[in-house]
Structures are given as structure tokens and as C-alpha cells.
Amino acid sequence: MALVTYLPRAIPLVALANRPLPPAVQRWLQLLSPAIMAGLVAQAVFMPGGQVELSGANPALFPAAVTALVAWRTRSLTATVLAGMAAAALVHRL
Amino acid sequence: MSGILSRAVAETSTGPKLRRGWPESARVRFWLGVRAAWPVVTGYVPVGLALGVLAAQEGLGPFATGAMSLFVYAGASQFIAVGMIGAQAAALSIVLTTFFINLRHLLMSAAISPYLRGLKSWTLAALAFLLTDETFGVASAEFSRRGRGDPVYFTGLGLTAYGTWCAATVIGAWAGQGLASPEALGLDFALKAMFIGLLAGQLRGESMVRGAVAVLAGAGALAAAPYLGGFSVMAAAAAAAAVGVVIARWMDESS
């Protein structure tokens, strides 16, 4: 498990860092960052049980909306995480 | 040390837009990294505690949980591994699942590589161990703002995050036996909230192209999940970023 975690992190970094890359590839790599994060977020929020759930029955929708709002307004990851947890705890209680 | 810390504070508080490049002093850069880890730390504490609690409920003690965090250090994978251990899955199947989930780091590693030119291979290999979704989110935003990367900053950021993660998971596993319901404290949502905050940081003040790529990648990851499983985020991100390159080129030509 340690090996299969480490190798994907290390190989591209070691292989690519000292090679000049064409501008289109560099641009592609820059756009990869938000794309990966967006993919992770989409699956975390809209597939809470492993399947896509877009209705109000999805317990992650409300906390996710609160989290996104706080993230956008405060620019603080700390406040964002705490707000998300509070909203999720509230949903769990109701 | 307090002098260095206050210089790091001053550096941070001058605002991201004004600063390009990096301070000369390695110690200042290290402390900048440590300070930048703060949001990751506040994210890792609840998420790590949550993982420790879940591990304890599957029978993994503080020692086993701590060893897993020390050697594996991969939040999402550890959550899934703990769940699979609880379901008594075969060891090989746990390792393979972990591998597929971790493949997304191939792209993060590739994405951060242009910022770390000129470093020795063994330095890069050491830095790579500290690359997680969260350190990637913080570091890539900072590297892009400053125009280039810095290994000392990344080390400060990464070691702080790593230490926090190991400590939080061990404490969670130690305290976990007594806690009935992690959901009541919102612990299960901590990791998701952190992902959302990191995405917001990636998109804020950036071009429309970045936003469009994010929407495409998100929709693509949902659409591809039933067919590609652990590959879906990677495939959707790669495709969405490629579309973004085409859009950006088209906008450059038309302007």
C-alpha cells in the first residue's frame, strides 16, 4: 500500500521536472490542477453512496452548499472545513 | 526564531498579488511553508481524528493506525482501506484499490513538475512523498502565484501536514473506542469540505477557462464513474484540461 501510494506521486515529478515541455503541454498541466480537484469534489458531493444522487435525499448537498459559500466569501480553508462539518452535523441531527 | 517567523508573517500579509518570486532566506521560505500548512492542519485534524475513530472501530489500534499513516500517508486511500479491512477484503484487493485511487497523484505530480525545475532527482523523490491532495492544492496555487516553485517551502508545508496527519490519526484511534457516532460531529464531512475549499482556492480570480475546465471535469467524473471507477477522476480531468487548452488557444487567436 505504501509503494502504490508513493510511486504515482514520485514518478512524474522526477521524470518531468527537468525536461522542457511544449507550451501546450505546460498549459494542459496547469489546467489539470483545478480539473482534478473538481472531479474529486463532484464525486465526493454528488456520489455519497457510490452512485450519483442529485435529489434532495443526498445528505451531502446542503453541507456542500454551505461549505462552498463560506469558501467563496471567507477565503479561509479553516472556516470552510469547520462550516462544512457544522452543516453536516446539523443534517445528521435532523 | 521569532524574528524569522515574523518575517514569514510579514511576507504572507503583504498580499499574494504583490509578491512574485521567493525570499532569499531558506529559513523564511521554510516558515512560509509551515504557515501555509495551517489550513491543511485544521483540515487534517478532524479528518485524521475521524479516520482514527473509524480504524479503532474496525479493530486497528493506535499502533497499527499510526504505522499505516507513517508509511502510506494517503487520507482517502486509508479511509477506503479501513472500510475494506472491516469488510474483511483480501489484502491484494485492498492494495489494488488503493493503487487505482492513488493514480490521480500521477497527474498532480506531473502538474507540479514544471515549477520544480533544476532540482536533483533524489530531492524530487523525497518531496514526492509529501505530495497529497491538500499540499498539492496549497502549493500549486502558491507556485502559480509566485511564478515558480520552491522545495524548501514545500518541505515546510509537507512536513507540517505529515506530522499533523500522523498525530491526528493516532489520537483518533486511541480515543475512538469511546466515541459512538463520528457523524454527529460532522467528522465524515471534513475531507469533503477540505476538497471544496481547495477547489475554491484554485478557481478564485482565475480565468473563465479554468472555471469551464472545472465544470467539465466535475461533470465528466460523475458521468465516467460507473464505467471507469477509480480511473474516472483522472480520465475526466485529463480530457477537460485538453478541452481547456483548445479553448484557450482559440481565445488567444480571436483576441
Side-chain angles (χ1 to χ4, degrees), chain A residues 1 5-6 8-9 12-13 17-19 27-28 38 43-44 71 75 77-78 88-89, chain B residues 39 72-73 81 102 106 109 117-119 125 131 184 192 204 214 221 232 238 252:
Chain A
M1 225 179 132
T5 297
Y6 176 70
R9 291 178 190 181
L13 194 56
N18 290 314
R19 258 169 250 263
R27 196 157 218 174
W28 182 72
Q43 292 195 348
R75 306 180 171 218
L77 199 50
T78 311
Chain B
V72 179
Y73 185 38
N102 287 328
L106 279 172
S109 177
R117 291 193 188 289
L119 295 178
L131 181 70
K192 298 178 184 183
R204 181 175 294 119
S232 53
D252 286 348

PDB file of all heavy atoms in Angstrom, chain A residues 1 5-6 8-9 12-13 17-19 27-28 38 43-44 71 75 77-78 88-89, chain B residues 39 72-73 81 102 106 109 117-119 125 131 184 192 204 214 221 232 238 252:
ATOM      1  N   MET A   1       0.835  -1.201   0.000  1.00  0.00           N
ATOM      2  CA  MET A   1       0.000   0.000   0.000  1.00  0.00           C
ATOM      3  C   MET A   1       0.876   1.260   0.000  1.00  0.00           C
ATOM      4  O   MET A   1       0.565   2.249  -0.663  1.00  0.00           O
ATOM      5  CB  MET A   1      -0.891  -0.006   1.243  1.00  0.00           C
ATOM      6  CG  MET A   1      -2.334   0.364   0.957  1.00  0.00           C
ATOM      7  SD  MET A   1      -3.317   0.307   2.465  1.00  0.00           S
ATOM      8  CE  MET A   1      -4.169   1.863   2.372  1.00  0.00           C
ATOM      9  N   THR A   5       1.106   3.980  -3.140  1.00  0.00           N
ATOM     10  CA  THR A   5       0.796   5.377  -2.843  1.00  0.00           C
ATOM     11  C   THR A   5       1.944   6.271  -3.300  1.00  0.00           C
ATOM     12  O   THR A   5       1.731   7.331  -3.883  1.00  0.00           O
ATOM     13  CB  THR A   5       0.583   5.571  -1.326  1.00  0.00           C
ATOM     14  OG1 THR A   5      -0.543   4.811  -0.924  1.00  0.00           O
ATOM     15  CG2 THR A   5       0.347   7.032  -0.998  1.00  0.00           C
ATOM     16  N   TYR A   6       3.168   5.809  -3.042  1.00  0.00           N
ATOM     17  CA  TYR A   6       4.335   6.664  -3.292  1.00  0.00           C
ATOM     18  C   TYR A   6       4.674   6.791  -4.774  1.00  0.00           C
ATOM     19  O   TYR A   6       4.942   7.894  -5.266  1.00  0.00           O
ATOM     20  CB  TYR A   6       5.534   6.132  -2.508  1.00  0.00           C
ATOM     21  CG  TYR A   6       6.796   6.904  -2.785  1.00  0.00           C
ATOM     22  CD1 TYR A   6       6.929   8.222  -2.327  1.00  0.00           C
ATOM     23  CD2 TYR A   6       7.825   6.349  -3.520  1.00  0.00           C
ATOM     24  CE1 TYR A   6       8.063   8.958  -2.609  1.00  0.00           C
ATOM     25  CE2 TYR A   6       8.962   7.069  -3.795  1.00  0.00           C
ATOM     26  CZ  TYR A   6       9.082   8.368  -3.336  1.00  0.00           C
ATOM     27  OH  TYR A   6      10.200   9.095  -3.613  1.00  0.00           O
ATOM     28  N   PRO A   8       3.023   6.706  -7.737  1.00  0.00           N
ATOM     29  CA  PRO A   8       2.330   7.681  -8.592  1.00  0.00           C
ATOM     30  C   PRO A   8       2.668   9.134  -8.251  1.00  0.00           C
ATOM     31  O   PRO A   8       2.579  10.014  -9.088  1.00  0.00           O
ATOM     32  CB  PRO A   8       0.844   7.398  -8.332  1.00  0.00           C
ATOM     33  CG  PRO A   8       0.801   6.011  -7.835  1.00  0.00           C
ATOM     34  CD  PRO A   8       2.075   5.817  -7.062  1.00  0.00           C
ATOM     35  N   ARG A   9       3.070   9.398  -7.014  1.00  0.00           N
ATOM     36  CA  ARG A   9       3.433  10.762  -6.635  1.00  0.00           C
ATOM     37  C   ARG A   9       4.822  11.120  -7.148  1.00  0.00           C
ATOM     38  O   ARG A   9       5.113  12.273  -7.450  1.00  0.00           O
ATOM     39  CB  ARG A   9       3.438  10.914  -5.112  1.00  0.00           C
ATOM     40  CG  ARG A   9       2.067  10.847  -4.500  1.00  0.00           C
ATOM     41  CD  ARG A   9       2.114  10.955  -2.986  1.00  0.00           C
ATOM     42  NE  ARG A   9       0.789  10.636  -2.450  1.00  0.00           N
ATOM     43  CZ  ARG A   9       0.496  10.651  -1.160  1.00  0.00           C
ATOM     44  NH1 ARG A   9       1.407  10.964  -0.274  1.00  0.00           N
ATOM     45  NH2 ARG A   9      -0.717  10.358  -0.759  1.00  0.00           N
ATOM     46  N   PRO A  12       6.147  10.940 -12.038  1.00  0.00           N
ATOM     47  CA  PRO A  12       6.058  12.078 -12.969  1.00  0.00           C
ATOM     48  C   PRO A  12       6.930  13.252 -12.543  1.00  0.00           C
ATOM     49  O   PRO A  12       7.528  13.919 -13.383  1.00  0.00           O
ATOM     50  CB  PRO A  12       4.571  12.457 -12.923  1.00  0.00           C
ATOM     51  CG  PRO A  12       3.887  11.260 -12.403  1.00  0.00           C
ATOM     52  CD  PRO A  12       4.848  10.611 -11.461  1.00  0.00           C
ATOM     53  N   LEU A  13       7.011  13.492 -11.239  1.00  0.00           N
ATOM     54  CA  LEU A  13       7.802  14.624 -10.743  1.00  0.00           C
ATOM     55  C   LEU A  13       9.263  14.449 -11.120  1.00  0.00           C
ATOM     56  O   LEU A  13       9.905  15.341 -11.667  1.00  0.00           O
ATOM     57  CB  LEU A  13       7.643  14.710  -9.216  1.00  0.00           C
ATOM     58  CG  LEU A  13       8.097  15.981  -8.513  1.00  0.00           C
ATOM     59  CD1 LEU A  13       7.402  17.187  -9.104  1.00  0.00           C
ATOM     60  CD2 LEU A  13       7.771  15.893  -7.033  1.00  0.00           C
ATOM     61  N   ALA A  17      10.380  17.055 -14.266  1.00  0.00           N
ATOM     62  CA  ALA A  17      10.758  18.372 -13.749  1.00  0.00           C
ATOM     63  C   ALA A  17      11.906  19.011 -14.533  1.00  0.00           C
ATOM     64  O   ALA A  17      11.975  20.224 -14.634  1.00  0.00           O
ATOM     65  CB  ALA A  17      11.114  18.284 -12.275  1.00  0.00           C
ATOM     66  N   ASN A  18      12.816  18.217 -15.051  1.00  0.00           N
ATOM     67  CA  ASN A  18      13.976  18.814 -15.710  1.00  0.00           C
ATOM     68  C   ASN A  18      13.947  18.675 -17.225  1.00  0.00           C
ATOM     69  O   ASN A  18      14.969  18.639 -17.889  1.00  0.00           O
ATOM     70  CB  ASN A  18      15.266  18.222 -15.127  1.00  0.00           C
ATOM     71  CG  ASN A  18      15.462  18.707 -13.696  1.00  0.00           C
ATOM     72  OD1 ASN A  18      15.307  19.887 -13.417  1.00  0.00           O
ATOM     73  ND2 ASN A  18      15.749  17.793 -12.798  1.00  0.00           N
ATOM     74  N   ARG A  19      12.743  18.562 -17.765  1.00  0.00           N
ATOM     75  CA  ARG A  19      12.586  18.481 -19.205  1.00  0.00           C
ATOM     76  C   ARG A  19      11.826  19.707 -19.692  1.00  0.00           C
ATOM     77  O   ARG A  19      10.826  20.072 -19.099  1.00  0.00           O
ATOM     78  CB  ARG A  19      11.763  17.243 -19.551  1.00  0.00           C
ATOM     79  CG  ARG A  19      12.574  16.094 -20.052  1.00  0.00           C
ATOM     80  CD  ARG A  19      11.689  14.878 -20.088  1.00  0.00           C
ATOM     81  NE  ARG A  19      12.139  13.984 -19.032  1.00  0.00           N
ATOM     82  CZ  ARG A  19      12.958  12.958 -19.257  1.00  0.00           C
ATOM     83  NH1 ARG A  19      13.347  12.691 -20.457  1.00  0.00           N
ATOM     84  NH2 ARG A  19      13.371  12.194 -18.278  1.00  0.00           N
ATOM     85  N   ARG A  27       0.444  24.223 -20.522  1.00  0.00           N
ATOM     86  CA  ARG A  27      -0.886  24.763 -20.266  1.00  0.00           C
ATOM     87  C   ARG A  27      -1.829  23.644 -19.800  1.00  0.00           C
ATOM     88  O   ARG A  27      -2.627  23.835 -18.889  1.00  0.00           O
ATOM     89  CB  ARG A  27      -1.420  25.396 -21.554  1.00  0.00           C
ATOM     90  CG  ARG A  27      -2.594  26.290 -21.320  1.00  0.00           C
ATOM     91  CD  ARG A  27      -2.693  27.281 -22.453  1.00  0.00           C
ATOM     92  NE  ARG A  27      -3.110  28.578 -21.985  1.00  0.00           N
ATOM     93  CZ  ARG A  27      -3.168  29.648 -22.777  1.00  0.00           C
ATOM     94  NH1 ARG A  27      -2.783  29.562 -24.022  1.00  0.00           N
ATOM     95  NH2 ARG A  27      -3.588  30.784 -22.305  1.00  0.00           N
ATOM     96  N   TRP A  28      -1.681  22.496 -20.426  1.00  0.00           N
ATOM     97  CA  TRP A  28      -2.505  21.344 -20.054  1.00  0.00           C
ATOM     98  C   TRP A  28      -2.238  20.967 -18.599  1.00  0.00           C
ATOM     99  O   TRP A  28      -3.157  20.733 -17.820  1.00  0.00           O
ATOM    100  CB  TRP A  28      -2.191  20.175 -20.990  1.00  0.00           C
ATOM    101  CG  TRP A  28      -3.001  18.947 -20.757  1.00  0.00           C
ATOM    102  CD1 TRP A  28      -4.319  18.764 -21.046  1.00  0.00           C
ATOM    103  CD2 TRP A  28      -2.543  17.726 -20.179  1.00  0.00           C
ATOM    104  NE1 TRP A  28      -4.709  17.509 -20.676  1.00  0.00           N
ATOM    105  CE2 TRP A  28      -3.642  16.840 -20.140  1.00  0.00           C
ATOM    106  CE3 TRP A  28      -1.313  17.279 -19.676  1.00  0.00           C
ATOM    107  CZ2 TRP A  28      -3.551  15.549 -19.625  1.00  0.00           C
ATOM    108  CZ3 TRP A  28      -1.213  15.993 -19.171  1.00  0.00           C
ATOM    109  CH2 TRP A  28      -2.336  15.141 -19.145  1.00  0.00           C
ATOM    110  N   ALA A  38     -11.812  19.458  -9.110  1.00  0.00           N
ATOM    111  CA  ALA A  38     -13.241  19.498  -9.435  1.00  0.00           C
ATOM    112  C   ALA A  38     -13.813  18.088  -9.543  1.00  0.00           C
ATOM    113  O   ALA A  38     -14.921  17.819  -9.079  1.00  0.00           O
ATOM    114  CB  ALA A  38     -13.461  20.268 -10.745  1.00  0.00           C
ATOM    115  N   GLN A  43     -17.377  13.996  -7.212  1.00  0.00           N
ATOM    116  CA  GLN A  43     -17.681  12.637  -6.729  1.00  0.00           C
ATOM    117  C   GLN A  43     -17.957  12.620  -5.222  1.00  0.00           C
ATOM    118  O   GLN A  43     -18.808  11.875  -4.754  1.00  0.00           O
ATOM    119  CB  GLN A  43     -16.539  11.690  -7.081  1.00  0.00           C
ATOM    120  CG  GLN A  43     -16.427  11.465  -8.593  1.00  0.00           C
ATOM    121  CD  GLN A  43     -15.561  10.289  -8.960  1.00  0.00           C
ATOM    122  OE1 GLN A  43     -14.852   9.740  -8.119  1.00  0.00           O
ATOM    123  NE2 GLN A  43     -15.606   9.894 -10.225  1.00  0.00           N
ATOM    124  N   ALA A  44     -17.243  13.457  -4.478  1.00  0.00           N
ATOM    125  CA  ALA A  44     -17.450  13.480  -3.027  1.00  0.00           C
ATOM    126  C   ALA A  44     -18.847  13.992  -2.687  1.00  0.00           C
ATOM    127  O   ALA A  44     -19.490  13.514  -1.759  1.00  0.00           O
ATOM    128  CB  ALA A  44     -16.380  14.347  -2.354  1.00  0.00           C
ATOM    129  N   ALA A  71     -16.392  29.087   1.620  1.00  0.00           N
ATOM    130  CA  ALA A  71     -15.096  29.083   0.936  1.00  0.00           C
ATOM    131  C   ALA A  71     -14.968  30.313   0.046  1.00  0.00           C
ATOM    132  O   ALA A  71     -13.926  30.964   0.008  1.00  0.00           O
ATOM    133  CB  ALA A  71     -14.945  27.815   0.098  1.00  0.00           C
ATOM    134  N   ARG A  75     -12.466  32.971   2.041  1.00  0.00           N
ATOM    135  CA  ARG A  75     -11.131  32.613   1.558  1.00  0.00           C
ATOM    136  C   ARG A  75     -10.318  31.898   2.622  1.00  0.00           C
ATOM    137  O   ARG A  75      -9.103  31.842   2.562  1.00  0.00           O
ATOM    138  CB  ARG A  75     -10.343  33.849   1.119  1.00  0.00           C
ATOM    139  CG  ARG A  75     -11.099  34.662   0.122  1.00  0.00           C
ATOM    140  CD  ARG A  75     -10.326  35.873  -0.319  1.00  0.00           C
ATOM    141  NE  ARG A  75     -11.031  36.476  -1.434  1.00  0.00           N
ATOM    142  CZ  ARG A  75     -10.443  37.020  -2.482  1.00  0.00           C
ATOM    143  NH1 ARG A  75      -9.142  37.053  -2.543  1.00  0.00           N
ATOM    144  NH2 ARG A  75     -11.149  37.519  -3.449  1.00  0.00           N
ATOM    145  N   LEU A  77      -9.572  28.383   4.530  1.00  0.00           N
ATOM    146  CA  LEU A  77      -9.825  26.936   4.487  1.00  0.00           C
ATOM    147  C   LEU A  77     -10.260  26.421   5.857  1.00  0.00           C
ATOM    148  O   LEU A  77     -11.033  25.477   5.965  1.00  0.00           O
ATOM    149  CB  LEU A  77      -8.571  26.215   3.989  1.00  0.00           C
ATOM    150  CG  LEU A  77      -8.743  24.802   3.451  1.00  0.00           C
ATOM    151  CD1 LEU A  77      -9.848  24.708   2.423  1.00  0.00           C
ATOM    152  CD2 LEU A  77      -7.449  24.309   2.841  1.00  0.00           C
ATOM    153  N   THR A  78      -9.745  27.076   6.903  1.00  0.00           N
ATOM    154  CA  THR A  78     -10.126  26.700   8.261  1.00  0.00           C
ATOM    155  C   THR A  78     -11.623  26.891   8.482  1.00  0.00           C
ATOM    156  O   THR A  78     -12.338  25.971   8.888  1.00  0.00           O
ATOM    157  CB  THR A  78      -9.372  27.567   9.283  1.00  0.00           C
ATOM    158  OG1 THR A  78      -8.001  27.566   8.933  1.00  0.00           O
ATOM    159  CG2 THR A  78      -9.558  27.037  10.676  1.00  0.00           C
ATOM    160  N   ALA A  88     -22.831  19.508   8.245  1.00  0.00           N
ATOM    161  CA  ALA A  88     -23.041  18.056   8.146  1.00  0.00           C
ATOM    162  C   ALA A  88     -23.585  17.496   9.459  1.00  0.00           C
ATOM    163  O   ALA A  88     -24.460  16.616   9.463  1.00  0.00           O
ATOM    164  CB  ALA A  88     -21.735  17.361   7.770  1.00  0.00           C
ATOM    165  N   ALA A  89     -23.077  18.020  10.574  1.00  0.00           N
ATOM    166  CA  ALA A  89     -23.570  17.571  11.883  1.00  0.00           C
ATOM    167  C   ALA A  89     -25.042  17.939  12.050  1.00  0.00           C
ATOM    168  O   ALA A  89     -25.836  17.160  12.592  1.00  0.00           O
ATOM    169  CB  ALA A  89     -22.726  18.198  12.997  1.00  0.00           C
TER     170      ALA A  89
ATOM    171  N   PRO B  39      -4.184  25.939   7.105  1.00  0.00           N
ATOM    172  CA  PRO B  39      -5.500  25.413   6.698  1.00  0.00           C
ATOM    173  C   PRO B  39      -5.493  23.902   6.502  1.00  0.00           C
ATOM    174  O   PRO B  39      -6.496  23.238   6.780  1.00  0.00           O
ATOM    175  CB  PRO B  39      -5.794  26.132   5.382  1.00  0.00           C
ATOM    176  CG  PRO B  39      -4.523  26.755   4.954  1.00  0.00           C
ATOM    177  CD  PRO B  39      -3.695  26.960   6.168  1.00  0.00           C
ATOM    178  N   VAL B  72       1.904   4.936   4.649  1.00  0.00           N
ATOM    179  CA  VAL B  72       1.018   5.115   3.494  1.00  0.00           C
ATOM    180  C   VAL B  72       0.693   6.590   3.278  1.00  0.00           C
ATOM    181  O   VAL B  72       0.797   7.110   2.181  1.00  0.00           O
ATOM    182  CB  VAL B  72      -0.272   4.296   3.656  1.00  0.00           C
ATOM    183  CG1 VAL B  72      -1.184   4.517   2.465  1.00  0.00           C
ATOM    184  CG2 VAL B  72       0.065   2.818   3.779  1.00  0.00           C
ATOM    185  N   TYR B  73       0.305   7.295   4.330  1.00  0.00           N
ATOM    186  CA  TYR B  73       0.058   8.731   4.258  1.00  0.00           C
ATOM    187  C   TYR B  73      -0.807   9.097   3.057  1.00  0.00           C
ATOM    188  O   TYR B  73      -0.362   9.783   2.146  1.00  0.00           O
ATOM    189  CB  TYR B  73       1.397   9.494   4.227  1.00  0.00           C
ATOM    190  CG  TYR B  73       1.256  11.000   4.278  1.00  0.00           C
ATOM    191  CD1 TYR B  73       0.281  11.609   5.061  1.00  0.00           C
ATOM    192  CD2 TYR B  73       2.099  11.822   3.540  1.00  0.00           C
ATOM    193  CE1 TYR B  73       0.158  12.974   5.104  1.00  0.00           C
ATOM    194  CE2 TYR B  73       1.988  13.196   3.576  1.00  0.00           C
ATOM    195  CZ  TYR B  73       1.015  13.764   4.358  1.00  0.00           C
ATOM    196  OH  TYR B  73       0.887  15.122   4.394  1.00  0.00           O
ATOM    197  N   ALA B  81      -9.274   1.758   2.737  1.00  0.00           N
ATOM    198  CA  ALA B  81      -8.601   0.562   3.242  1.00  0.00           C
ATOM    199  C   ALA B  81      -9.213   0.118   4.568  1.00  0.00           C
ATOM    200  O   ALA B  81      -9.457  -1.077   4.786  1.00  0.00           O
ATOM    201  CB  ALA B  81      -7.107   0.822   3.399  1.00  0.00           C
ATOM    202  N   ASN B 102      -4.957   6.085  -5.967  1.00  0.00           N
ATOM    203  CA  ASN B 102      -3.764   6.927  -5.914  1.00  0.00           C
ATOM    204  C   ASN B 102      -3.285   7.382  -7.282  1.00  0.00           C
ATOM    205  O   ASN B 102      -2.431   8.264  -7.370  1.00  0.00           O
ATOM    206  CB  ASN B 102      -2.625   6.187  -5.215  1.00  0.00           C
ATOM    207  CG  ASN B 102      -2.870   6.081  -3.728  1.00  0.00           C
ATOM    208  OD1 ASN B 102      -3.471   6.973  -3.139  1.00  0.00           O
ATOM    209  ND2 ASN B 102      -2.427   5.003  -3.130  1.00  0.00           N
ATOM    210  N   LEU B 106      -0.606  10.819 -10.040  1.00  0.00           N
ATOM    211  CA  LEU B 106       0.244  10.885 -11.234  1.00  0.00           C
ATOM    212  C   LEU B 106       0.111  12.257 -11.871  1.00  0.00           C
ATOM    213  O   LEU B 106       1.087  12.891 -12.246  1.00  0.00           O
ATOM    214  CB  LEU B 106      -0.189   9.826 -12.259  1.00  0.00           C
ATOM    215  CG  LEU B 106       0.276   8.384 -12.099  1.00  0.00           C
ATOM    216  CD1 LEU B 106      -0.447   7.509 -13.103  1.00  0.00           C
ATOM    217  CD2 LEU B 106       1.775   8.282 -12.292  1.00  0.00           C
ATOM    218  N   SER B 109       1.399  15.148  -9.601  1.00  0.00           N
ATOM    219  CA  SER B 109       2.853  15.140  -9.658  1.00  0.00           C
ATOM    220  C   SER B 109       3.333  15.747 -10.971  1.00  0.00           C
ATOM    221  O   SER B 109       4.254  16.572 -10.997  1.00  0.00           O
ATOM    222  CB  SER B 109       3.334  13.694  -9.494  1.00  0.00           C
ATOM    223  OG  SER B 109       4.715  13.604  -9.611  1.00  0.00           O
ATOM    224  N   ARG B 117      11.791  22.872 -11.561  1.00  0.00           N
ATOM    225  CA  ARG B 117      12.901  22.588 -12.465  1.00  0.00           C
ATOM    226  C   ARG B 117      14.239  22.761 -11.761  1.00  0.00           C
ATOM    227  O   ARG B 117      14.363  23.526 -10.825  1.00  0.00           O
ATOM    228  CB  ARG B 117      12.861  23.542 -13.648  1.00  0.00           C
ATOM    229  CG  ARG B 117      11.720  23.293 -14.565  1.00  0.00           C
ATOM    230  CD  ARG B 117      11.886  24.048 -15.875  1.00  0.00           C
ATOM    231  NE  ARG B 117      10.671  23.929 -16.666  1.00  0.00           N
ATOM    232  CZ  ARG B 117      10.291  22.795 -17.250  1.00  0.00           C
ATOM    233  NH1 ARG B 117      11.035  21.712 -17.135  1.00  0.00           N
ATOM    234  NH2 ARG B 117       9.167  22.744 -17.938  1.00  0.00           N
ATOM    235  N   GLY B 118      15.245  22.036 -12.258  1.00  0.00           N
ATOM    236  CA  GLY B 118      16.610  22.246 -11.774  1.00  0.00           C
ATOM    237  C   GLY B 118      16.946  21.533 -10.479  1.00  0.00           C
ATOM    238  O   GLY B 118      18.043  21.710  -9.952  1.00  0.00           O
ATOM    239  N   LEU B 119      16.024  20.734  -9.950  1.00  0.00           N
ATOM    240  CA  LEU B 119      16.324  20.010  -8.710  1.00  0.00           C
ATOM    241  C   LEU B 119      16.862  18.621  -9.042  1.00  0.00           C
ATOM    242  O   LEU B 119      16.555  18.048 -10.074  1.00  0.00           O
ATOM    243  CB  LEU B 119      15.064  19.870  -7.860  1.00  0.00           C
ATOM    244  CG  LEU B 119      14.467  21.175  -7.337  1.00  0.00           C
ATOM    245  CD1 LEU B 119      13.205  20.878  -6.546  1.00  0.00           C
ATOM    246  CD2 LEU B 119      15.466  21.913  -6.463  1.00  0.00           C
ATOM    247  N   ALA B 125      12.319  13.073  -5.498  1.00  0.00           N
ATOM    248  CA  ALA B 125      11.751  11.830  -4.987  1.00  0.00           C
ATOM    249  C   ALA B 125      11.346  11.977  -3.518  1.00  0.00           C
ATOM    250  O   ALA B 125      10.328  11.442  -3.083  1.00  0.00           O
ATOM    251  CB  ALA B 125      12.751  10.692  -5.147  1.00  0.00           C
ATOM    252  N   LEU B 131       3.639  14.851  -1.176  1.00  0.00           N
ATOM    253  CA  LEU B 131       2.588  15.349  -2.073  1.00  0.00           C
ATOM    254  C   LEU B 131       1.253  14.657  -1.783  1.00  0.00           C
ATOM    255  O   LEU B 131       1.118  13.454  -1.949  1.00  0.00           O
ATOM    256  CB  LEU B 131       3.001  15.097  -3.531  1.00  0.00           C
ATOM    257  CG  LEU B 131       2.040  15.577  -4.613  1.00  0.00           C
ATOM    258  CD1 LEU B 131       2.021  17.098  -4.676  1.00  0.00           C
ATOM    259  CD2 LEU B 131       2.443  15.013  -5.967  1.00  0.00           C
ATOM    260  N   ALA B 184     -22.193  12.515  14.090  1.00  0.00           N
ATOM    261  CA  ALA B 184     -22.849  13.545  14.887  1.00  0.00           C
ATOM    262  C   ALA B 184     -21.975  14.794  15.015  1.00  0.00           C
ATOM    263  O   ALA B 184     -22.466  15.887  15.256  1.00  0.00           O
ATOM    264  CB  ALA B 184     -23.209  13.010  16.267  1.00  0.00           C
ATOM    265  N   LYS B 192     -14.454  16.085   2.639  1.00  0.00           N
ATOM    266  CA  LYS B 192     -15.162  16.694   1.504  1.00  0.00           C
ATOM    267  C   LYS B 192     -15.080  18.219   1.573  1.00  0.00           C
ATOM    268  O   LYS B 192     -14.863  18.885   0.561  1.00  0.00           O
ATOM    269  CB  LYS B 192     -16.633  16.251   1.495  1.00  0.00           C
ATOM    270  CG  LYS B 192     -16.782  14.753   1.314  1.00  0.00           C
ATOM    271  CD  LYS B 192     -18.239  14.318   1.359  1.00  0.00           C
ATOM    272  CE  LYS B 192     -18.304  12.799   1.261  1.00  0.00           C
ATOM    273  NZ  LYS B 192     -19.662  12.280   1.235  1.00  0.00           N
ATOM    274  N   ARG B 204     -10.456  30.899  -7.695  1.00  0.00           N
ATOM    275  CA  ARG B 204     -10.683  32.305  -7.373  1.00  0.00           C
ATOM    276  C   ARG B 204      -9.747  33.211  -8.166  1.00  0.00           C
ATOM    277  O   ARG B 204      -8.541  32.991  -8.220  1.00  0.00           O
ATOM    278  CB  ARG B 204     -10.468  32.522  -5.873  1.00  0.00           C
ATOM    279  CG  ARG B 204     -10.693  33.938  -5.435  1.00  0.00           C
ATOM    280  CD  ARG B 204     -10.591  34.058  -3.941  1.00  0.00           C
ATOM    281  NE  ARG B 204     -11.666  33.342  -3.279  1.00  0.00           N
ATOM    282  CZ  ARG B 204     -11.495  32.341  -2.447  1.00  0.00           C
ATOM    283  NH1 ARG B 204     -10.302  31.905  -2.185  1.00  0.00           N
ATOM    284  NH2 ARG B 204     -12.516  31.750  -1.874  1.00  0.00           N
ATOM    285  N   ALA B 214     -13.109  23.202 -14.876  1.00  0.00           N
ATOM    286  CA  ALA B 214     -13.541  22.589 -13.617  1.00  0.00           C
ATOM    287  C   ALA B 214     -14.946  22.002 -13.758  1.00  0.00           C
ATOM    288  O   ALA B 214     -15.205  20.869 -13.319  1.00  0.00           O
ATOM    289  CB  ALA B 214     -13.499  23.619 -12.487  1.00  0.00           C
ATOM    290  N   ALA B 221     -16.387  13.466 -14.388  1.00  0.00           N
ATOM    291  CA  ALA B 221     -16.059  12.487 -13.344  1.00  0.00           C
ATOM    292  C   ALA B 221     -17.309  11.737 -12.897  1.00  0.00           C
ATOM    293  O   ALA B 221     -17.267  10.534 -12.618  1.00  0.00           O
ATOM    294  CB  ALA B 221     -15.396  13.184 -12.156  1.00  0.00           C
ATOM    295  N   SER B 232     -11.879   7.292 -13.077  1.00  0.00           N
ATOM    296  CA  SER B 232     -12.791   8.273 -13.658  1.00  0.00           C
ATOM    297  C   SER B 232     -12.328   9.716 -13.438  1.00  0.00           C
ATOM    298  O   SER B 232     -12.405  10.528 -14.364  1.00  0.00           O
ATOM    299  CB  SER B 232     -14.204   8.062 -13.112  1.00  0.00           C
ATOM    300  OG  SER B 232     -14.199   8.046 -11.715  1.00  0.00           O
ATOM    301  N   ALA B 238      -8.082  14.783 -17.305  1.00  0.00           N
ATOM    302  CA  ALA B 238      -7.176  14.854 -18.459  1.00  0.00           C
ATOM    303  C   ALA B 238      -7.929  15.371 -19.685  1.00  0.00           C
ATOM    304  O   ALA B 238      -7.431  16.246 -20.409  1.00  0.00           O
ATOM    305  CB  ALA B 238      -6.578  13.474 -18.739  1.00  0.00           C
ATOM    306  N   ASP B 252      -7.075  32.973 -27.630  1.00  0.00           N
ATOM    307  CA  ASP B 252      -5.872  33.743 -27.963  1.00  0.00           C
ATOM    308  C   ASP B 252      -5.914  34.218 -29.406  1.00  0.00           C
ATOM    309  O   ASP B 252      -5.569  35.362 -29.704  1.00  0.00           O
ATOM    310  CB  ASP B 252      -4.620  32.873 -27.771  1.00  0.00           C
ATOM    311  CG  ASP B 252      -4.310  32.670 -26.296  1.00  0.00           C
ATOM    312  OD1 ASP B 252      -4.930  33.386 -25.472  1.00  0.00           O
ATOM    313  OD2 ASP B 252      -3.488  31.820 -25.964  1.00  0.00           O
TER     314      ASP B 252
END
